[in-house]
Amino acid sequence: MGFREQASRVRRIVGIVLAVLLIGGVAVAVAAGRDSKDKSTATKTVRGVIGSEKAEFFADPDVVKALAAKGLTVKAETSGSWAMDQLPLKGYDFAFPGSKAPADELQRRSAVKGGPLRPFYSPLVVVAHRAAAQVLADNGLVTLSGKSSGKLLMGPYLRAARTDRTWQQLKGAEKHAELTGTVFITSTDPVSSNSGALYLAAASYVADGGRVAADEAAIDRTAPLLRKLIQVQGAQQTSSDAPFRDFISGVGNPLVLVYESQVASLLMQRQDAGDLVLLYPDTTVSSDHTLVPLTATGRRLGELLSTDPELRKLVVRHGFRPQGAAAEFTAATAGHTDYIDQQLTGVRQAPVPTATVLRAMARRTRG
């Protein structure tokens, strides 16, 4: 073999080796790039069912981004808190009702150790149009602490409900053509909705002299009054979102039961509150939003909502009060104290009956 032929053969061999190495190098680079991409952007999907009052929180792009940074993508469906235990939850990672009682029922179906988590809460409040709030104040059912906030006196209000008091019977109401008919608070369906059920819990506690309903006899004592509170409303929603939106748009009843978080979120997003007056019932119930983990991934979500600084900041931005972190809520609502009672001054928390008793109480309101 001549020198030229040998040199040509060597060049061909070297070229083949380099090509193999190059192809291998590209393959390694692509694989490495793919691995790097997975580590930086891949997330694990967490499926759950939530109360509708938390839908906007989980849909918030900043919340989605903050959870993705922790490796989670939440896919949530909404349901009334008291209807969640009727759902087939196989394949779900968590259930997130609006209070402890329905969470306790759901917990019995979970094999995950550690129990439920309560990352945030919100007290029940009543929103009123300014004219309605002033008339109620002039007739001893409300005390006002400014033009945009005050307290609903549950004792006088329930006495008015017991006697079917109308707006026309209240002095000063004649100046406001929109104030007609029976005085009542619009609430959600207590059979399926958390806020509606907790409304009954607070009302029964006050009506029964500060006693928590514990048996059929206790239910009997307050059933006629609770039936009036519910049946005067006619058809009810399963979520507080629709009645609150109706109120803000100026339609519907002048008194609506909502969560404080709905008002606080509206204010912090600098939306127009119109003539809204925020009334804190002097006896109310706080809605402890309680996450029941059904898998280990569901528990991780609950822990992140409870402890992650960025997520807690977003929880507050949506109007909720983080558990054990009053200062965060106080700082965020500092510019809205004409509405928000940051310390819940003079507001008594009514204990909530067991889920069994509260369900029975809700069913009795139907007649």
Side-chain angles (χ1 to χ4, degrees):
M1 181 183 295
F3 175 79
R4 289 179 181 275
E5 292 175 320
Q6 186 175 4
S8 177
R9 184 179 179 187
V10 168
R11 282 196 297 272
R12 283 198 301 273
I13 292 171
V14 170
I16 291 170
V17 170
L18 287 173
V20 170
L21 289 174
L22 180 61
I23 292 169
V26 170
V28 170
V30 170
R34 188 179 297 122
D35 288 344
S36 174
K37 183 179 179 182
D38 284 348
K39 288 178 183 176
S40 63
T41 63
T43 60
K44 186 168 186 177
T45 298
V46 194
R47 287 192 67 210
V49 58
I50 62 173
S52 59
E53 68 285 338
K54 295 181 282 289
E56 286 191 7
F57 171 77
F58 281 108
D60 184 335
D62 290 335
V63 173
V64 172
K65 182 179 178 181
L67 286 169
K70 298 297 181 179
L72 299 180
T73 296
V74 173
K75 299 293 184 184
E77 302 166 23
T78 60
S79 166
S81 293
W82 288 86
M84 286 183 188
D85 68 336
Q86 307 299 315
L87 299 175
L89 293 177
K90 185 177 181 180
Y92 286 76
D93 296 290
F94 70 97
F96 205 171
S99 62
K100 181 178 180 296
D104 288 343
E105 300 251 310
L106 291 160
Q107 178 61 26
R108 298 189 185 100
R109 299 166 60 178
S110 174
V112 179
K113 294 181 180 179
L117 301 101
R118 292 189 288 277
F120 47 82
Y121 68 99
S122 185
L124 286 176
V125 297
V126 173
V127 289
H129 292 299
R130 189 163 293 126
Q134 188 61 61
V135 169
L136 293 177
D138 292 342
N139 288 270
L141 281 73
V142 159
T143 59
L144 294 175
S145 52
K147 71 174 186 177
S148 300
S149 65
K151 287 195 173 54
L152 174 71
L153 307 179
M154 284 293 284
Y157 168 70
L158 293 177
R159 286 194 290 274
R162 199 177 266 118
T163 58
D164 302 312
R165 188 83 60 84
T166 65
W167 286 102
Q168 290 92 325
Q169 293 172 324
L170 301 181
K171 63 181 180 182
E174 70 279 358
K175 300 173 185 176
H176 308 282
E178 73 278 13
L179 299 179
T180 61
T182 305
V183 177
F184 69 90
I185 294 170
T186 292
S187 64
T188 54
D189 179 3
V191 174
S192 61
S193 169
N194 182 63
S195 59
L198 295 184
Y199 178 43
L200 297 186
S204 67
Y205 180 76
V206 174
D208 206 19
R211 288 180 289 183
V212 185
D215 52 29
E216 196 68 26
I219 296 173
D220 289 342
R221 287 194 295 271
T222 61
L225 172 61
L226 299 187
R227 193 176 300 120
K228 282 192 173 190
L229 295 178
I230 300 304
Q231 293 192 352
V232 70
Q233 300 181 45
Q236 291 179 291
Q237 301 277 356
T238 58
S239 163
S240 60
D241 184 60
F244 182 60
R245 290 183 185 278
D246 286 346
F247 177 90
I248 293 299
S249 64
V251 300
N253 194 43
L255 303 173
V256 180
L257 184 82
V258 299
Y259 296 104
E260 178 196 58
S261 59
Q262 292 171 282
V263 180
S265 176
L266 181 86
L267 296 171
M268 285 189 279
Q269 292 174 31
R270 302 188 183 283
Q271 297 182 37
D272 182 14
D275 68 344
L276 181 151
V277 177
L278 182 53
L279 301 175
Y280 288 83
D282 59 3
T283 301
T284 191
V285 176
S286 281
S287 179
D288 290 318
H289 296 279
T290 306
L291 187 148
V292 179
L294 304 174
T295 66
T297 309
R299 170 159 286 280
R300 172 158 170 73
L301 173 64
E303 290 169 347
L304 285 171
L305 292 174
S306 300
T307 62
D308 182 75
E310 181 62 24
L311 284 167
R312 286 170 70 93
K313 186 189 301 182
L314 293 168
V315 160
V316 171
R317 192 171 81 184
H318 281 267
F320 299 107
R321 295 177 181 243
Q323 292 282 3
E328 294 177 30
F329 182 82
T330 300
T333 58
H336 307 291
T337 53
D338 47 339
Y339 292 93
I340 304 292
D341 185 347
Q342 297 175 318
Q343 308 304 319
L344 299 178
T345 309
V347 174
R348 179 170 57 165
Q349 289 291 320
V352 178
T354 65
T356 300
V357 170
L358 205 48
R359 282 184 188 280
M361 195 180 287
R363 287 193 295 268
R364 290 284 291 275
T365 65
R366 298 304 184 198

